[in-house]
Amino acid sequence: MRLLYQSVFLIFLSLTISCNNTAQTNESMGPDEFEKAIQQKNVQLLDTRTAGEYRGSHIEGSLQADWLNEEEFISRTAHLDKSKPVYVYCQTGSRSADAADYLREKGFKQVVNLTGGMSAWRRAGKPAVADDPAKKQTSYQEYETLTKTASLVLVDFGAEWCPPCKKMEPVLNAFVQEQGTKVKLLKMDGGNEIALMQSLKVEALPTFILYNNGKETKRLQGVMTKEELEAWVK
């Protein structure tokens, strides 16, 4: 009987160690495994580096939230889906590991860190993209002209890599479709229009500004509902 108890205990211990090792493996992946994983549907890919680092080189399709900017990181990741996997990376894997721990504490079901970060990703010959530094910025005068191209112009300062901006896409699409020709939507790339945003005192993404015959009448920073947008144009 004693031998039987010992055997059962050893089997239990073996299973426990196996499960723990599996959980640990799933929390971090090397470049090859990470690349395959992010090709799945419903995956959220998050770059936890600064905006400058992101513009220099990033994995295509990734969102961005600077782990070193506490307010920005908390604000942007609040708009991620906790039920969907989140794959995170930084430059060497350190910042994103801390960010991953934070996200798990906040209730995200699966968070996976890229071991070695972008440094390991590039060493492995994996693809990366960069923003075009020569991309033309809109002057303030050009912007003023654009805000007068219709009686009501709704300006959206957002970016493809901004989580709350992505969350606003279906809301904006539904709103614009419903309004037809009554409201013109003007999308401005918040990752590129740095000087213009400074002139307009746009400090975060997304920011929405409504112009009536070329004059600013409404402004809001953050996400909005379709009902709130509709109230702006009544």
Side-chain angles (χ1 to χ4, degrees):
M1 183 64 69
R2 182 178 178 182
L3 183 61
L4 177 62
Y5 285 148
Q6 289 177 334
S7 299
V8 171
F9 174 75
L10 288 174
I11 292 172
F12 174 77
L13 182 62
S14 176
L15 289 173
T16 301
I17 293 173
S18 176
C19 290
N20 286 339
N21 286 340
T22 300
Q24 182 63 34
T25 301
N26 288 340
E27 290 181 354
S28 60
M29 293 179 178
D32 290 337
E33 192 177 4
F34 194 88
E35 182 181 34
K36 291 178 182 177
I38 61 176
Q39 303 304 318
Q40 302 173 77
K41 291 183 178 180
N42 297 321
V43 163
Q44 302 169 107
L45 180 59
L46 182 65
D47 188 320
T48 65
R49 301 174 301 162
T50 66
E53 289 174 294
Y54 180 92
R55 286 193 293 269
S57 178
H58 60 269
I59 301 174
E60 188 171 11
S62 58
L63 304 170
Q64 184 268 333
D66 182 2
W67 172 247
L68 299 179
N69 184 329
E70 183 178 358
E71 183 178 352
E72 175 184 292
F73 191 84
I74 293 174
S75 174
R76 290 185 178 177
T77 56
H79 299 282
L80 296 176
D81 190 335
K82 292 183 178 181
S83 67
K84 296 178 181 178
V86 182
Y87 288 78
V88 298
Y89 68 92
C90 63
Q91 192 60 37
T92 62
S94 178
R95 281 175 285 175
S96 53
D98 291 338
D101 287 339
Y102 167 85
L103 293 174
R104 294 184 192 108
E105 290 174 2
K106 291 299 179 181
F108 284 82
K109 301 301 181 184
Q110 183 183 1
V111 187
V112 181
N113 183 38
L114 172 59
T115 304
M118 279 298 289
S119 296
W121 181 266
R122 298 306 296 271
R123 285 197 304 272
K126 303 303 180 182
V129 295
D131 292 348
D132 182 4
K135 186 176 179 182
K136 183 180 180 296
Q137 293 192 37
T138 306
S139 70
Y140 187 82
Q141 290 72 26
E142 290 171 326
Y143 176 78
E144 280 192 317
T145 300
L146 290 171
T147 61
K148 296 174 182 177
T149 52
S151 296
L152 289 176
V153 176
L154 176 64
V155 181
D156 168 21
F157 280 95
E160 286 290 323
W161 40 262
C162 164
C165 302
K166 296 291 286 185
K167 187 175 183 178
M168 278 299 301
E169 283 183 0
V171 177
L172 283 172
N173 291 338
F175 171 73
V176 170
Q177 185 176 6
E178 182 183 274
Q179 295 298 319
T181 59
K182 181 180 178 181
V183 181
K184 180 176 181 179
L185 178 64
L186 177 59
K187 296 181 73 68
M188 304 301 293
D189 185 356
N192 184 62
E193 305 290 358
I194 307 302
L196 180 60
M197 289 171 61
Q198 290 175 341
S199 297
L200 295 168
K201 294 182 171 53
V202 174
E203 298 176 347
L205 304 177
T207 291
F208 300 97
I209 307 175
L210 181 69
Y211 289 85
N212 189 334
N213 294 314
K215 294 185 177 181
E216 180 179 333
T217 58
K218 300 283 186 180
R219 179 186 291 224
L220 188 139
Q221 173 186 307
V223 298
M224 298 180 67
T225 64
K226 187 163 74 70
E227 291 71 26
E228 288 173 323
L229 286 168
E230 289 168 351
W232 272 19
V233 299
K234 283 183 179 179

